Amino acid sequence: MNTAPASSAAAGEPRWLTDDEQRVWRAYVDATTLLEDHLDRQLQRDAGMPHVYYGLLVKLAEAPRRRLRMTELAKDAKITRSRLSHAVARLEKNGWVRREDCPSDKRGQFAVLTDEGVDVLRRHAPGHVDAVRQAVFDRLTPEQQKSLGEIMGIVAEGLQPSEAGADLPWLR
Protein backbone atom coordinates (compact mmCIF):
# COMPACT_ATOMS: atom_id res chain seq x y z
CA MET A 1 0.00 0.00 0.00
CA ASN A 2 1.50 3.31 -1.05
CA THR A 3 -0.44 6.22 0.41
CA ALA A 4 2.35 8.79 0.55
CA PRO A 5 5.80 9.24 -0.97
CA ALA A 6 8.67 8.46 1.39
CA SER A 7 9.82 12.09 1.45
CA SER A 8 6.44 13.51 2.50
CA ALA A 9 5.62 11.11 5.35
CA ALA A 10 4.52 12.98 8.45
CA ALA A 11 6.28 12.39 11.74
CA GLY A 12 5.27 9.01 13.14
CA GLU A 13 3.80 7.85 9.83
CA PRO A 14 5.32 4.89 7.96
CA ARG A 15 7.74 5.73 5.18
CA TRP A 16 5.68 4.01 2.48
CA LEU A 17 7.55 2.57 -0.46
CA THR A 18 7.42 4.56 -3.65
CA ASP A 19 5.98 2.85 -6.69
CA ASP A 20 9.51 2.16 -7.97
CA GLU A 21 10.62 0.80 -4.57
CA GLN A 22 7.51 -1.38 -4.43
CA ARG A 23 8.35 -2.86 -7.86
CA VAL A 24 11.92 -3.58 -6.77
CA TRP A 25 10.78 -5.12 -3.48
CA ARG A 26 8.19 -7.36 -5.10
CA ALA A 27 10.63 -8.46 -7.80
CA TYR A 28 13.14 -9.35 -5.09
CA VAL A 29 10.57 -11.31 -3.04
CA ASP A 30 9.29 -13.13 -6.12
CA ALA A 31 12.79 -13.97 -7.35
CA THR A 32 14.12 -15.20 -4.00
CA THR A 33 11.00 -17.28 -3.32
CA LEU A 34 11.09 -18.86 -6.77
CA LEU A 35 14.86 -19.41 -6.63
CA GLU A 36 14.75 -21.14 -3.24
CA ASP A 37 11.87 -23.32 -4.45
CA HIS A 38 13.72 -24.16 -7.69
CA LEU A 39 16.90 -25.16 -5.86
CA ASP A 40 15.01 -27.05 -3.18
CA ARG A 41 13.06 -29.08 -5.76
CA GLN A 42 16.25 -29.83 -7.73
CA LEU A 43 18.04 -31.14 -4.65
CA GLN A 44 15.01 -33.07 -3.37
CA ARG A 45 14.65 -34.72 -6.77
CA ASP A 46 18.34 -35.45 -7.38
CA ALA A 47 19.78 -35.91 -3.88
CA GLY A 48 16.78 -36.54 -1.62
CA MET A 49 17.53 -33.57 0.61
CA PRO A 50 16.36 -29.98 0.99
CA HIS A 51 18.54 -27.06 -0.03
CA VAL A 52 19.32 -26.14 3.59
CA TYR A 53 20.79 -29.62 4.23
CA TYR A 54 22.94 -29.37 1.12
CA GLY A 55 24.22 -26.01 2.37
CA LEU A 56 25.19 -27.57 5.71
CA LEU A 57 27.13 -30.32 3.96
CA VAL A 58 28.96 -27.72 1.84
CA LYS A 59 29.89 -25.65 4.90
CA LEU A 60 31.26 -28.75 6.61
CA ALA A 61 33.17 -29.78 3.47
CA GLU A 62 34.84 -26.35 3.39
CA ALA A 63 35.75 -26.38 7.11
CA PRO A 64 39.13 -27.52 8.43
CA ARG A 65 39.04 -31.28 9.01
CA ARG A 66 35.43 -31.18 7.69
CA ARG A 67 34.14 -30.21 11.14
CA LEU A 68 32.55 -27.20 12.81
CA ARG A 69 31.14 -26.53 16.23
CA MET A 70 27.37 -26.69 16.09
CA THR A 71 27.09 -23.04 17.16
CA GLU A 72 29.45 -21.96 14.37
CA LEU A 73 27.58 -24.06 11.81
CA ALA A 74 24.27 -22.46 12.85
CA LYS A 75 25.86 -19.02 12.46
CA ASP A 76 27.36 -19.85 9.06
CA ALA A 77 24.06 -21.32 7.83
CA LYS A 78 22.01 -18.43 9.29
CA ILE A 79 19.56 -20.81 10.99
CA THR A 80 18.35 -21.35 14.52
CA ARG A 81 20.16 -23.84 16.73
CA SER A 82 16.94 -25.83 16.99
CA ARG A 83 16.59 -26.08 13.20
CA LEU A 84 20.26 -27.03 12.94
CA SER A 85 19.90 -29.75 15.57
CA HIS A 86 16.96 -31.24 13.67
CA ALA A 87 18.82 -31.04 10.34
CA VAL A 88 21.98 -32.63 11.75
CA ALA A 89 19.89 -35.44 13.26
CA ARG A 90 18.49 -36.17 9.79
CA LEU A 91 21.94 -35.97 8.21
CA GLU A 92 23.27 -38.33 10.89
CA LYS A 93 20.48 -40.79 10.14
CA ASN A 94 21.59 -40.78 6.49
CA GLY A 95 25.20 -41.37 7.55
CA TRP A 96 26.40 -38.07 6.03
CA VAL A 97 27.29 -36.30 9.29
CA ARG A 98 28.26 -37.40 12.78
CA ARG A 99 28.45 -35.45 16.03
CA GLU A 100 31.48 -35.40 18.28
CA ASP A 101 31.75 -33.99 21.77
CA CYS A 102 34.02 -31.00 22.20
CA PRO A 103 36.94 -31.99 24.44
CA SER A 104 37.44 -28.43 25.76
CA ASP A 105 33.76 -27.69 26.43
CA LYS A 106 31.51 -30.37 27.90
CA ARG A 107 28.39 -28.66 26.47
CA GLY A 108 29.79 -28.14 22.98
CA GLN A 109 29.53 -30.48 20.03
CA PHE A 110 31.04 -30.65 16.58
CA ALA A 111 29.26 -31.63 13.39
CA VAL A 112 31.62 -33.69 11.23
CA LEU A 113 31.13 -34.51 7.55
CA THR A 114 31.60 -38.24 6.98
CA ASP A 115 33.22 -39.83 3.93
CA GLU A 116 29.73 -40.82 2.81
CA GLY A 117 28.68 -37.16 3.11
CA VAL A 118 31.64 -36.13 0.95
CA ASP A 119 30.58 -38.72 -1.62
CA VAL A 120 27.01 -37.34 -1.64
CA LEU A 121 28.36 -33.85 -2.32
CA ARG A 122 30.65 -35.08 -5.10
CA ARG A 123 27.75 -36.86 -6.81
CA HIS A 124 25.24 -34.03 -6.52
CA ALA A 125 27.32 -30.83 -6.71
CA PRO A 126 27.47 -30.80 -10.53
CA GLY A 127 23.68 -30.86 -10.89
CA HIS A 128 23.23 -28.24 -8.18
CA VAL A 129 25.83 -25.92 -9.69
CA ASP A 130 24.12 -26.32 -13.06
CA ALA A 131 20.76 -25.38 -11.50
CA VAL A 132 22.30 -22.29 -9.85
CA ARG A 133 24.09 -21.29 -13.06
CA GLN A 134 20.93 -21.65 -15.18
CA ALA A 135 18.70 -19.87 -12.67
CA VAL A 136 21.00 -16.94 -11.88
CA PHE A 137 24.35 -16.49 -13.59
CA ASP A 138 23.39 -17.39 -17.16
CA ARG A 139 20.69 -14.69 -17.01
CA LEU A 140 23.01 -11.87 -15.89
CA THR A 141 25.85 -9.98 -17.50
CA PRO A 142 29.18 -9.94 -15.63
CA GLU A 143 28.40 -6.36 -14.55
CA GLN A 144 24.98 -7.39 -13.21
CA GLN A 145 26.57 -10.30 -11.35
CA LYS A 146 29.04 -7.92 -9.70
CA SER A 147 26.26 -5.47 -8.79
CA LEU A 148 24.07 -8.25 -7.38
CA GLY A 149 26.94 -9.47 -5.20
CA GLU A 150 27.66 -5.96 -3.92
CA ILE A 151 23.99 -5.23 -3.21
CA MET A 152 23.36 -8.51 -1.40
CA GLY A 153 26.56 -8.01 0.61
CA ILE A 154 25.34 -4.59 1.77
CA VAL A 155 21.90 -5.96 2.71
CA ALA A 156 23.39 -8.95 4.58
CA GLU A 157 25.88 -6.76 6.45
CA GLY A 158 23.11 -4.42 7.57
CA LEU A 159 21.04 -7.31 8.92
CA GLN A 160 23.85 -8.78 11.04
CA PRO A 161 24.39 -6.35 13.90
CA SER A 162 27.46 -7.09 15.95
CA GLU A 163 26.24 -5.79 19.32
CA ALA A 164 25.55 -8.21 22.13
CA GLY A 165 21.97 -9.35 22.39
CA ALA A 166 21.22 -8.93 18.68
CA ASP A 167 18.23 -10.98 17.55
CA LEU A 168 19.88 -13.29 15.03
CA PRO A 169 18.68 -16.80 14.09
CA TRP A 170 21.77 -18.65 15.34
CA LEU A 171 21.41 -17.01 18.76
CA ARG A 172 17.86 -18.33 19.20
Side-chain angles (χ1 to χ4, degrees):
M1 173 181 215
N2 183 4
T3 61
S7 61
S8 67
E13 287 291 315
R15 289 182 46 221
W16 297 109
L17 299 180
T18 65
D19 290 342
D20 286 341
E21 289 169 335
Q22 190 69 255
R23 277 191 288 280
V24 169
W25 174 246
R26 289 181 182 179
Y28 167 81
V29 169
D30 289 350
T32 56
T33 300
L34 289 166
L35 179 60
E36 186 60 30
D37 178 69
H38 174 74
L39 297 177
D40 202 57
R41 283 185 293 113
Q42 179 269 320
L43 284 164
Q44 287 285 7
R45 180 188 66 238
D46 297 348
M49 75 176 99
H51 189 220
V52 70
Y53 290 14
Y54 181 86
L56 294 172
L57 295 179
V58 169
K59 291 187 183 311
L60 289 171
E62 294 171 344
R65 296 175 43 211
R66 300 186 327 212
R67 61 190 299 197
L68 284 171
R69 284 188 64 129
M70 292 285 283
T71 52
E72 193 65 27
L73 185 54
K75 181 179 178 183
D76 288 353
K78 313 283 187 274
I79 60 175
T80 64
R81 291 177 286 191
S82 172
R83 186 173 183 197
L84 175 66
S85 183
H86 176 74
V88 168
R90 295 285 307 272
L91 293 170
E92 280 181 301
K93 186 176 178 183
N94 291 339
W96 302 341
V97 169
R98 73 174 180 277
R99 292 183 213 218
E100 292 179 356
D101 291 331
C102 179
S104 63
D105 177 2
K106 298 284 187 215
R107 295 176 299 162
Q109 283 192 317
F110 287 97
V112 181
L113 184 65
T114 64
D115 290 341
E116 190 175 341
V118 171
D119 186 52
V120 165
L121 279 176
R122 281 193 188 119
R123 283 195 324 264
H124 297 292
H128 182 62
V129 169
D130 189 49
V132 169
R133 182 167 296 289
Q134 288 177 7
V136 179
F137 295 99
D138 290 351
R139 299 171 188 272
L140 302 175
T141 66
E143 295 79 21
Q144 289 170 323
Q145 292 174 22
K146 182 179 178 195
S147 293
L148 179 63
E150 290 169 354
I151 291 165
M152 292 295 98
I154 290 167
V155 171
E157 184 179 317
L159 293 171
Q160 295 183 89
S162 57
E163 68 269 3
D167 184 24
L168 298 167
W170 54 92
L171 299 176
R172 289 185 222 134

